[in-house]
Amino acid sequence: TRTSLLAAGGAGYNNGAFQVTDGSNNTLNIGGSLAARYNISIRNEGENGTVNDFTSGFNIPYARLRTWGTIWSKDFDYMVQGTFSDTSSLGDSGSNGSFQLEEAWGRYHIDSNWAVRFGQFKLPLTREVLVENEYQLAAERSVASGIFGQGYSQGVELQYATDQFKFTVAASDGLRTNNT
């Protein structure tokens, strides 16, 4: 199988992801991202009671896996993304490193400007939340986005985009309703 895929130019590493294609309309990309941190906390011994005054160590706040591509037609694309994290996708603690589905959607491009997307995705509300973690300029999102961020939702979205203008309109089950 590997030899036949390579002969057709259909498998290999491409632009940050492993890619498989049948040479026609069907593509599968597999990629992801990881955040690693080293934390140090130094506190005054008298203020903590019996709590240790020095803690340090590495942690991985999230390890994200995603797959995306096209199926049946170049006009129909999809993405499935999930994260192993020490917090939930809404920013509250309690995930304990379990895998959480974040995005699972399909999108049909009606023409070069219009598209319809359906499934679970981030609602088009605040730009800070729409930018993926690996493309953020800061180490984390703001406190305001943690409180007011939309999270993931299931719905249908109509998209329109040109070189100078873009808008989206969505009908969904509401903010912060991921995996419900």
Side-chain angles (χ1 to χ4, degrees):
T1 303
R2 182 176 183 274
T3 305
S4 65
L5 284 171
L6 288 173
Y13 187 77
N14 184 14
N15 198 22
F18 180 76
Q19 183 178 55
V20 178
T21 181
D22 65 354
S24 138
N25 293 329
N26 301 309
T27 61
L28 170 68
N29 299 287
I30 301 169
S33 60
L34 173 80
R37 295 186 185 140
Y38 184 75
N39 296 319
I40 296 175
S41 179
I42 302 170
R43 299 170 298 277
N44 291 334
E45 189 173 338
E47 296 174 7
N48 301 331
T50 60
V51 177
N52 198 356
D53 63 338
F54 178 81
T55 56
S56 67
F58 283 97
N59 79 326
I60 298 176
Y62 70 88
R64 176 170 290 150
L65 298 173
R66 72 174 59 95
T67 181
W68 70 98
T70 58
I71 191 165
W72 295 305
S73 165
K74 294 288 185 191
D75 293 329
F76 187 72
D77 60 345
Y78 65 90
M79 184 173 76
V80 177
Q81 173 178 288
T83 299
F84 296 94
S85 74
D86 60 3
T87 60
S88 79
S89 59
L90 297 176
D92 54 346
S93 61
S95 167
N96 299 326
S98 61
F99 184 79
Q100 296 177 336
L101 177 67
E102 291 181 333
E103 298 201 27
W105 52 260
R107 177 174 47 204
Y108 181 72
H109 296 270
I110 300 166
D111 61 21
S112 61
N113 299 107
W114 292 92
V116 175
R117 182 166 67 159
F118 57 91
Q120 179 167 297
F121 50 88
K122 292 179 184 175
L123 291 173
L125 185 61
T126 60
R127 175 73 179 152
E128 181 181 5
V129 175
L130 291 175
V131 174
E132 295 294 339
N133 291 355
E134 57 265 30
Y135 302 116
Q136 289 285 328
L137 292 177
E140 287 290 333
R141 290 182 171 88
S142 67
V143 174
S145 102
I147 295 170
F148 300 109
Q150 65 266 31
Y152 295 93
S153 182
Q154 298 88 32
V156 177
E157 177 181 70
L158 179 64
Q159 304 172 336
Y160 176 80
T162 64
D163 291 339
Q164 297 85 19
F165 184 73
K166 177 180 180 180
F167 78 86
T168 57
V169 176
S172 73
D173 60 352
L175 302 177
R176 297 180 181 234
T177 57
N178 56 318
N179 300 325
T180 57

